[in-house]
Amino acid sequence: MKIEARELSKIYGVGENRVVALDRVNLEIAINDFISIMGPSGSGKSTLLHLLSGLDRPTSGSLTYDGRDIYGFSDKELSAFRRRRIGFVFQQYNLLPVLTAKENIIMPLLLDKRQPDEAYLMQLAELLGISDRLEHLPHELSGGQQQRVAIARALIAKPDIIFADEPTGNLDSKSGSEVMKMLENIWEKTGTKLVIITHDRRVAQMADRQFVIVDGVLSEVKA
Ligand code: ADP
Ligand code: MG
């Protein structure tokens, strides 16, 4: 699957409150790219990830997945598309507190009226080291375990691409590097494209394409 963003801009507010959060971003994501994006706080990183993943819509510009303009979809079509093709990992995990780890993981499938593939779920849990935590509630898990549950949730529908917004930002460096190793492992094993925002230079350098964003302007760091 090929993803192409053309001249994506996002402007918040009007008059003196006007903020250009994203300024005419062009980006192509091909085959199984692993992309990292770094940038200071407020530079537009989350805005960019939300636009690329269809969580939000731009002020102007286009985004195609295999030539299909996804902002042309209705909100309902867009959320169905996201559930099936796109995984998203948030810095704050965003697990539902009243559901067990397993229920959180399979939620995207249930919303789509699909049956979870039990064998695949077990394989993911094994890969992420959470097999013995599936019946626990989020508050009974460490931060690193919660993030690994969130990664399993992002992967359960076998998406073409995973977006991760500072996935290690809330973790200590040990659990952070475990989570990163797992993401990299999954990228290698499944060929799922991976776009990750990070403040950590070592994490950024694991990617095969590195970008920086400053004041909403995205540029690729040439190797
Ligand atoms: P980052 O993730 O790099 O910290 P963001 O993408 O969250 O940056 O924000 C980029 C800019 O857009 C910031 O100036 C922020 O204050 C502004 N911004 C983000 N979301 C909103 C919003 N919903 N309303 C108004 N301004 C926003
Ligand atoms: Mg952010």
Side-chain angles (χ1 to χ4, degrees):
M1 185 200 254
K2 188 174 169 190
I3 302 168
E4 274 186 273
R6 288 278 164 261
E7 302 284 310
L8 276 189
S9 294
K10 182 78 179 183
I11 296 166
Y12 292 109
V14 287
E16 46 184 55
N17 294 323
R18 189 172 185 270
V19 177
V20 181
L22 214 60
D23 192 3
R24 290 161 293 167
V25 165
N26 291 293
L27 177 63
E28 276 181 33
I29 307 173
I31 334 279
N32 70 336
D33 279 346
F34 176 1
I35 288 177
S36 67
I37 303 171
M38 290 188 89
S41 180
S43 58
K45 302 181 298 296
S46 294
T47 302
L48 175 61
L49 230 57
H50 293 168
L51 292 181
L52 291 175
S53 62
L55 273 170
D56 197 5
R57 294 173 186 267
T59 307
S60 59
S62 70
L63 177 69
T64 58
Y65 276 67
D66 279 339
R68 286 200 293 169
D69 175 7
I70 74 161
Y71 301 136
F73 294 172
S74 68
D75 285 350
K76 203 175 160 202
E77 287 166 340
L78 189 55
S79 35
F81 181 82
R82 283 188 20 241
R83 281 201 301 273
R84 290 168 200 162
R85 311 294 293 274
I86 298 171
F88 202 101
V89 179
F90 299 88
Q91 179 177 348
Q92 318 275 10
Y93 331 128
N94 283 13
L95 300 175
L96 291 168
V98 296
L99 300 183
T100 65
K102 181 177 173 178
E103 289 164 345
N104 267 285
I105 294 170
I106 64 177
M107 184 50 71
L109 297 177
L110 299 184
L111 287 170
D112 228 11
K113 302 187 174 60
R114 287 157 72 194
Q115 282 307 310
D117 171 349
E118 200 71 20
Y120 183 61
L121 172 62
M122 290 309 154
Q123 194 188 329
L124 274 182
E126 185 75 24
L127 194 67
L128 290 161
I130 48 171
S131 303
D132 57 350
R133 291 289 178 275
L134 291 176
E135 302 308 326
H136 290 254
L137 292 170
H139 79 263
E140 299 167 333
L141 303 173
S142 70
Q145 288 168 341
Q146 289 186 59
Q147 192 59 299
R148 286 182 268 147
V149 169
I151 292 170
R153 177 182 59 187
L155 283 163
I156 194 72
K158 302 185 180 168
D160 299 291
I161 184 161
I162 303 242
F163 294 98
D165 190 351
E166 303 192 45
T168 64
N170 274 23
L171 303 174
D172 59 65
S173 65
K174 183 166 171 285
S175 15
S177 43
E178 278 169 13
V179 161
M180 269 318 299
K181 271 199 211 94
M182 282 166 190
L183 278 172
E184 198 186 19
N185 192 356
I186 284 159
W187 169 70
E188 281 173 354
K189 279 197 177 145
T190 64
T192 312
K193 289 188 269 299
L194 179 61
V195 180
I196 186 169
I197 287 174
T198 181
H199 277 303
D200 186 336
R201 195 165 294 281
R202 285 168 313 165
V203 171
Q205 287 168 350
M206 288 161 77
D208 49 14
R209 292 175 71 199
Q210 292 177 52
F211 289 81
V212 290
I213 185 166
V214 178
D215 291 337
V217 177
L218 183 74
S219 35
E220 185 156 11
V221 181
K222 298 289 175 214

